[in-house]
Amino acid sequence: GGGDSTLDSTLDSAALGDDGPAKDPYEGIDDESIEYMSGLLGMKPSDPKFQAFMRQLHEDKQRGMEQANFSSTQFARYDNRLDTSAPKMRPAPAAPKPRALIFHSWWFEDGVKKYLQLRYEMAGKVFHIVLNKTVTLRNVKIAGRDGELLQCWDLYVGQKLDILGKPTTLMQANQETLQWLEHHTRRLLRKAGELESEIMALKPIPDLMHGLLHRKDLRSGTISLRWLMKHVSMLTAQLYRVQPPAGT
């Protein structure tokens, strides 16, 4: 899709801009940042594109930190990343870790209501499908419209899928799944909001993420985590494009 090409072009440009293979592509980059960005972008740390992208982000950050003439606004923006505020800003609770994401769908055929339960096993990364509460199909793999196998980040309430050749809408999710979706939705929206704020200090852009973060229906699990991940990646690349060159 179009989002994939944006991400690919960003990562391709990072790979082409690399000066050459280093002995350790992650030298100077902490493991937590590598793991976080890897999960955010859905890429493996062994992927050369991901390595080049992380290298570019790290080097740009280092150059920025070495500037001697940071403005007070820049200092304030950097300072505000630290959680030193009142209790309302206490660290978020640990992420929910359900064994499976469970969604429900139903429809009518000849006046008879049909049921489908879709389970995504987090450990095995496969689907189990339960039809009409009786027939179970195990270890099923489901592809999205782009032909890529679906993962946990691709599932949300309202998602339209082709399951066993039938167009199917995921209408509901169980409580554990909704809590997992809400946690990662808020996490990604906060990250996107921080990036938007930094970009807006340099050029005007719509504050789309701030609006989403304050919606009242984040508990409904209707926002695509995959879309948010791609948007965070796009904002990250945009920030480094609009930041002043080092030394200016």
Side-chain angles (χ1 to χ4, degrees), residues 94-112:
K97 294 183 179 179
R99 294 178 59 185
L101 302 183
I102 301 177
F103 295 87
H104 302 276
S105 183
W106 58 87
W107 63 93
F108 287 89
E109 285 184 10
D110 300 326
V112 178

Side-chain angles (χ1 to χ4, degrees), residues 171-188:
M171 297 179 177
Q172 288 182 351
N174 71 346
Q175 190 62 29
E176 277 192 323
T177 299
L178 290 176
Q179 290 172 349
W180 184 87
L181 289 169
E182 181 187 4
H183 172 87
H184 288 289
T185 296
R186 292 187 183 279
R187 174 177 65 83
L188 290 166

Side-chain angles (χ1 to χ4, degrees), residues 4-245:
D4 292 332
S5 62
T6 302
L7 175 60
D8 283 340
S9 62
T10 301
L11 295 171
D12 278 331
S13 64
L16 290 171
D18 198 6
D19 291 331
K23 291 183 179 179
D24 179 5
Y26 295 119
E27 183 177 356
I29 307 174
D30 61 277
D31 292 341
E32 185 177 351
S33 296
I34 296 169
E35 183 179 355
Y36 175 76
M37 287 299 290
S38 174
L40 201 64
L41 300 176
M43 301 182 73
K44 295 181 179 179
S46 59
D47 189 326
K49 286 187 178 182
F50 178 75
Q51 293 173 359
F53 186 61
M54 289 297 293
R55 187 86 252 145
Q56 179 180 314
L57 294 188
H58 177 68
E59 290 172 359
D60 286 344
K61 181 179 178 182
Q62 290 298 107
R63 282 195 292 269
M65 292 299 291
E66 288 167 3
Q67 292 181 39
N69 59 343
F70 272 115
S71 69
S72 58
T73 305
Q74 287 172 312
F75 269 122
R77 199 163 68 245
Y78 182 75
D79 239 8
N80 287 337
R81 295 177 183 176
L82 302 178
D83 186 5
T84 56
S85 56
K88 65 178 183 178
M89 292 295 289
R90 286 174 183 164
K97 294 183 179 179
R99 294 178 59 185
L101 302 183
I102 301 177
F103 295 87
H104 302 276
S105 183
W106 58 87
W107 63 93
F108 287 89
E109 285 184 10
D110 300 326
V112 178
K113 194 172 186 179
K114 304 288 187 177
Y115 294 92
L116 181 146
Q117 182 191 88
L118 186 70
R119 295 175 57 96
Y120 180 82
E121 298 294 331
M122 300 293 266
K125 298 182 179 180
V126 293
F127 290 94
H128 296 339
I129 300 172
V130 182
L131 297 171
N132 296 320
K133 304 179 182 181
T134 55
V135 179
T136 301
L137 305 176
R138 300 187 182 278
N139 301 323
V140 178
K141 294 183 179 180
I142 301 175
R145 294 179 180 178
D146 58 1
E148 295 291 328
L149 292 179
L150 296 180
Q151 299 177 332
C152 56
W153 312 107
D154 300 300
L155 304 174
Y156 58 93
V157 175
Q159 168 75 305
K160 299 182 187 301
L161 303 173
D162 188 312
I163 300 179
L164 304 177
K166 179 178 179 60
T168 305
T169 301
L170 304 182
M171 297 179 177
Q172 288 182 351
N174 71 346
Q175 190 62 29
E176 277 192 323
T177 299
L178 290 176
Q179 290 172 349
W180 184 87
L181 289 169
E182 181 187 4
H183 172 87
H184 288 289
T185 296
R186 292 187 183 279
R187 174 177 65 83
L188 290 166
L189 283 174
R190 282 194 296 269
K191 179 62 178 177
E194 291 171 8
L195 291 166
E196 276 187 349
S197 296
E198 294 193 62
I199 295 170
M200 283 191 286
L202 300 167
K203 64 172 290 187
I205 62 169
D207 56 346
L208 175 65
M209 296 296 104
H210 286 90
L212 284 176
L213 186 57
H214 293 95
R215 276 174 44 172
K216 295 181 179 179
D217 61 348
L218 293 185
R219 296 182 179 180
S220 63
T222 55
I223 297 179
S224 166
L225 297 180
R226 181 69 71 187
W227 178 82
L228 288 176
M229 290 162 65
K230 291 178 178 178
H231 199 72
V232 166
S233 174
M234 183 197 71
L235 288 171
T236 300
Q238 186 176 0
L239 174 61
Y240 282 92
R241 283 198 299 270
V242 300
Q243 280 181 327

